[in-house]
Amino acid sequence: MRRLLPLLLVGAVAYAADLTIGGSNRAEYWLFRDSLDEHFEDKLNLVANYGSLTGKAALFVWDPSRPKNPYHYVNYSIGYEHPALSLTYGHFYQVFGRGLALNSFINEDFRHEMVIRGLLAQTRLFQTELTALSGRPRELFFEENAYVIKNDTTDQLRGADLTTRLIPHFHPGVRYLRINRQQDTTLWKKAFDELYGGGAKAFFGPFDFYGEYIRRWGYEPATERRLEGDGIYASGNISTSFIGVTGEWLDYDTLGSGGFGYRYNEPPTPNRAGVSVNRGIDETGYGVTVVLSPVEKMSLEAARTDVHDTPNRHGVDEWVGKAKIDPSEKSSTEWGFDQSTQRKIDIKVEKKVENKPHFDITYSPDLLHSIEFGAEHNWISADDKDYAEWAAYVGVGRSGLVSLVFRYERRSKTISYLGDEKEWKTLELSWDITETHNLRIKAGNEKGGLNCSGGVCRWERPFDGIKAVLTSQF
Amino acid sequence: MNKTLTVVSVLIFSCLLASATEPKMAPKFSLMSANNEMVYLDSVLQKGPVYMSFWALWCKMCIKELDAIRPYYDKTYKAKGLQVLAMSVDGPKSVARVKPFAKSHKWDYTVLLDTDQKVKELFQVRAMPSAFIINQKGEIVYVHTGFKLGDEKQIAKELDKLFEASEN
């Protein structure tokens, strides 16, 4: 039967007229220069549609050189889609509102995902959408050059989200999530977390407002009492063809729900560095972004964010300024200045201040070939150490075929906790083999450090060697 | 492991076979727009062919691409009925900034919010930006991945081909 299965698949694909299959594959290989260690991973995604049915499969293999233990998984789902109803059984991602109650996601660039395996049902009737789910989460994270599962995969998630658009210019919604734990050592048998609340979107003309409040009833085995917390997030926009303004404000207190090093909710943080102070435990702050287009071919952007804990011991504040000017259709330039102060974000540094001007210029004489170059200079003050890092790159390319980029980075002096190296050079070739197949090969050394995205940070080791990535879509 | 590889190989072969014989149909989807309306791909296709590009606020090249096709769209293709869907894959953290950004960049496109990246997954987007041209039958006739200055000319050529084919 197993031997027949592939034949059946081929037959089904080739002869079923209404069946369409699409897919993609990403294969990645690294070779570390000094240790000659290898990293290999491959992810094949397939999506099949047959009428109202959709089947998805993701086959992931991570097979590094020994002695590391390899890891692989198969994610699958089968779904039924109708304008009024959709059902998905298998692995899925789902966000409630802005993620204060639930944020299940995949971030392939950051090699981080929180997937749920179970049942997802959605109804859409009378301009009202009801989403209900039940399943078990798995958070996969890449750190220290290895994939690890961060959460307790015996946890259960059950929840529902109801949002209506019945009222013109006002879309309210309510949501509830319950996290059941397998281990319950409490006398009162309440080893579960509940998150519930609601939000609303209001809009008229160029104005948009969004607000969400979520309350958390968790549990604390040590004190045998229910842990209470809440979080509020609000944003407002003005959107015109001349100016765009976004204001965000947040206040989270014991809202982050999950466990050590992982969360099932991920409330938003407005900062550009992707840093969350403590992932919803005690955070308050705001962010303001202004985007201006005073004349054609020019846009200006300025942002100010400040997020910190209540005693204001941990925090991130930023100033960001950016100007994008396209002098002609053959050239494009971007100029910027970023200033950030991080207090007790990196466990190795008490206070870190960075001031970074940067620019990028791209020029294409014939709109076929192009040359790009850019540079940045970063003045860094980390506790009692003052140093600078700068980087420059130059690249050439031919539209739709190939590009070659050389990047050079330098640190003004050795910083003990960052390693002994002071100089990094990489050469990267990107070749579009066809419209849907791309090969990238990078050789050289890259600096490590704290890398953050979506409120999650990881410490990346320096790399020296070769990386090759083959991406295909079919 | 060998068994897995065999199955994987057969599946890849199956897909290639399928893609070689029939033009691929675009998966159906519905998404909320930045203007707070539910948008269905089927309804958009009734108005005209679709140029759909996946982008995000952090993706410089995606923004360059959507900026670069704007003059072509404004001058030529808008009048021909082309529908441009700018598919923002920004998550809950940054989605608040999407609408003001798109408006201030004077994008006269329909900006859709793929916050949990379900549609990105349906279209098997593995690199950003990724753009798709979909004809009015719902067939994906062109895929463009990445962006370099000058790619907009290639995209315009493909759009010209599409409109020529529909006129014939």
Side-chain angles (χ1 to χ4, degrees):
Chain A
M1 185 60 202
R2 281 186 179 179
R3 286 180 185 177
L4 280 176
L5 187 66
L7 288 173
L8 285 171
L9 281 166
V10 175
V13 171
Y15 298 109
D18 295 334
L19 181 69
T20 59
I21 293 189
S24 65
N25 191 73
R26 183 187 157 95
E28 189 157 349
Y29 175 80
W30 304 354
L31 178 67
F32 295 78
R33 197 175 71 153
D34 291 337
S35 62
L36 295 180
D37 279 352
E38 293 174 304
H39 166 109
F40 172 76
E41 69 176 69
D42 185 82
K43 191 171 182 188
L44 172 70
N45 285 276
L46 295 170
V47 178
N49 286 287
Y50 184 78
S52 303
L53 295 174
T54 301
K56 290 187 206 169
L59 288 80
F60 175 79
V61 177
W62 174 59
D63 198 6
S65 57
R66 294 176 181 215
K68 284 181 182 169
N69 293 321
Y71 177 74
H72 72 274
Y73 68 72
V74 178
N75 283 357
Y76 61 87
S77 72
I78 179 103
Y80 169 76
E81 190 72 38
H82 182 273
L85 171 74
S86 63
L87 290 168
T88 304
Y89 176 77
H91 294 84
F92 58 85
Y93 307 97
Q94 183 65 41
V95 181
F96 284 174
R98 293 282 163 93
L100 276 74
L102 173 69
N103 188 3
S104 155
F105 62 93
I106 181 163
N107 184 342
E108 289 186 328
D109 297 315
F110 199 62
R111 299 169 204 272
H112 185 198
E113 71 168 319
M114 210 278 275
V115 69
I116 301 170
R117 181 175 56 83
L119 182 69
L120 173 73
Q122 291 176 304
T123 62
R124 290 173 287 267
L125 288 167
F126 310 111
Q127 305 261 14
T128 300
E129 186 168 291
L130 172 67
T131 303
L133 63 88
S134 173
R136 289 175 194 267
R138 183 193 65 211
E139 183 166 338
L140 188 67
F141 190 58
F142 187 74
E143 59 186 359
E144 297 286 326
N145 289 336
Y147 281 95
V148 286
I149 291 176
K150 300 287 284 184
N151 70 319
D152 181 349
T153 50
T154 62
D155 288 349
Q156 287 175 332
L157 301 182
R158 299 199 209 286
D161 181 305
L162 179 76
T163 304
T164 181
R165 299 189 305 282
L166 267 175
I167 310 164
H169 304 289
F170 184 72
H171 297 167
V174 289
R175 49 204 59 115
Y176 172 82
L177 184 81
R178 176 173 158 141
I179 306 162
N180 295 317
R181 318 277 183 174
Q182 195 170 46
Q183 297 296 324
D184 189 349
T185 53
T186 61
L187 290 172
W188 38 278
K189 301 293 172 199
K190 285 208 170 150
F192 61 86
D193 273 21
E194 285 171 296
L195 292 125
Y196 59 91
K201 193 189 281 183
F203 48 95
F204 49 91
F207 302 100
D208 284 69
F209 300 97
Y210 181 85
E212 186 171 345
Y213 176 77
I214 295 292
R215 189 156 178 80
R216 177 182 171 214
W217 274 14
Y219 91 109
E220 200 172 43
T223 57
E224 297 224 337
R225 66 183 174 85
R226 298 214 75 173
L227 193 66
E228 290 186 41
D230 63 0
I232 187 163
Y233 170 83
S235 69
N237 291 336
I238 303 169
S239 310
T240 71
S241 57
F242 172 68
I243 189 169
V245 182
T246 305
E248 292 170 273
W249 176 78
L250 57 94
D251 190 1
Y252 310 137
D253 176 14
T254 324
L255 181 70
S257 192
F260 181 73
Y262 66 93
R263 295 280 186 273
Y264 297 132
N265 57 350
E266 202 70 69
T269 54
N271 65 60
R272 304 302 177 86
V275 177
S276 168
V277 177
N278 49 35
R279 301 180 73 187
I281 298 300
D282 173 18
E283 287 181 272
T284 183
Y286 70 93
V288 179
T289 303
V290 179
V291 193
L292 266 175
S293 295
V295 290
E296 192 71 11
K297 304 281 185 191
M298 177 194 258
S299 73
L300 306 170
E301 188 175 336
R304 162 77 181 139
T305 70
D306 182 3
V307 182
H308 53 82
D309 61 359
T310 312
N312 207 353
R313 283 198 285 265
H314 301 70
V316 183
D317 63 78
E318 298 173 320
W319 290 92
V320 176
K322 207 162 40 179
K324 189 174 169 295
I325 303 159
D326 297 341
S328 72
E329 64 163 359
K330 293 178 176 177
S331 57
S332 138
T333 68
E334 193 173 299
W335 311 82
F337 182 82
D338 304 342
Q339 199 270 345
S340 82
T341 304
Q342 296 190 358
R343 283 164 286 125
K344 291 189 175 177
I345 295 297
D346 185 338
I347 53 168
K348 294 165 183 169
V349 182
E350 194 80 8
K351 185 181 177 186
K352 187 176 186 182
V353 181
E354 296 182 65
N355 287 283
K356 187 169 71 178
H358 55 91
F359 74 90
D360 302 273
I361 295 173
T362 309
Y363 177 66
S364 172
D366 54 1
L367 288 180
L368 185 63
H369 302 86
S370 61
I371 180 163
E372 54 179 332
F373 61 97
E376 62 183 47
H377 191 110
N378 196 358
W379 285 277
I380 302 167
S381 170
D383 295 338
D384 55 346
K385 296 177 187 71
D386 292 330
Y387 61 100
E389 289 181 346
W390 66 272
Y393 72 90
V394 60
V396 289
R398 188 184 189 279
S399 169
L401 185 64
V402 72
S403 72
L404 190 67
V405 178
F406 174 71
R407 186 176 171 88
Y408 178 76
E409 287 182 80
R410 189 174 168 78
R411 184 176 289 144
S412 61
K413 61 181 172 188
T414 305
I415 304 296
S416 54
Y417 76 92
L418 291 171
D420 296 333
E421 281 186 285
K422 286 176 25 182
E423 206 175 55
W424 299 269
K425 284 173 268 189
T426 55
L427 184 66
E428 184 172 8
L429 171 79
S430 173
W431 174 32
D432 295 329
I433 305 164
T434 70
E435 280 165 6
T436 52
H437 298 266
N438 173 270
L439 176 67
R440 278 191 295 129
I441 299 172
K442 189 193 269 189
N445 55 343
E446 293 174 317
K447 70 179 168 196
L450 198 67
N451 187 9
C452 300
S453 174
V456 185
C457 297
R458 71 160 167 249
W459 188 263
E460 283 187 350
R461 284 187 186 175
F463 176 83
D464 188 2
I466 295 173
K467 288 181 177 178
V469 184
L470 176 67
T471 314
S472 309
Q473 259 180 313
F474 34 78
Chain B
M1 188 68 192
N2 283 341
K3 281 179 191 169
T4 311
L5 283 174
T6 309
V7 172
V8 167
S9 311
V10 169
L11 287 171
I12 292 171
F13 175 73
S14 313
C15 298
L16 292 173
L17 185 67
S19 60
T21 51
E22 288 281 325
K24 200 162 78 179
M25 295 299 290
K28 291 175 184 175
F29 66 85
S30 58
L31 274 181
M32 189 60 82
S33 77
N35 286 334
N36 303 298
E37 288 156 355
M38 189 59 88
V39 174
Y40 296 85
L41 178 65
D42 283 351
S43 314
V44 178
L45 284 170
Q46 282 171 12
K47 296 178 197 162
V50 167
Y51 178 79
M52 182 170 75
S53 180
F54 288 86
W55 72 286
L57 288 165
W58 53 262
C59 173
K60 277 186 189 179
M61 287 300 151
C62 308
I63 293 161
K64 275 188 185 175
E65 185 221 295
L66 286 164
D67 278 340
I69 63 156
R70 188 168 71 88
Y72 292 86
Y73 175 67
D74 290 348
K75 283 177 197 160
T76 312
Y77 301 112
K78 192 176 170 182
K80 291 186 174 183
L82 182 73
Q83 307 293 310
V84 178
L85 301 180
M87 315 285 285
S88 162
V89 298
D90 288 283
K93 179 179 168 284
S94 48
V95 71
R97 288 188 280 124
V98 168
K99 186 178 173 183
F101 184 89
K103 275 272 183 191
S104 66
H105 274 240
K106 300 181 172 64
W107 293 349
D108 196 8
Y109 312 144
T110 304
V111 178
L112 299 183
L113 307 175
D114 190 17
T115 317
D116 43 20
Q117 305 195 2
K118 279 184 182 147
V119 180
K120 182 179 172 230
E121 205 60 24
L122 270 180
F123 280 80
Q124 295 293 303
V125 173
R126 287 291 163 269
M128 300 270 286
S130 277
F132 299 80
I133 296 177
I134 305 168
N135 68 17
Q136 279 197 273
K137 292 179 201 163
E139 295 165 346
I140 298 172
V141 293
Y142 180 68
V143 181
H144 191 91
T145 308
F147 182 77
K148 286 190 269 296
L149 217 55
D151 283 6
E152 66 274 23
K153 274 177 74 176
Q154 178 62 33
I155 292 164
K157 269 185 201 167
E158 295 296 331
L159 288 170
D160 287 339
K161 267 193 227 168
L162 173 79
F163 285 108
E164 274 167 28
S166 62
E167 280 163 19
N168 296 331

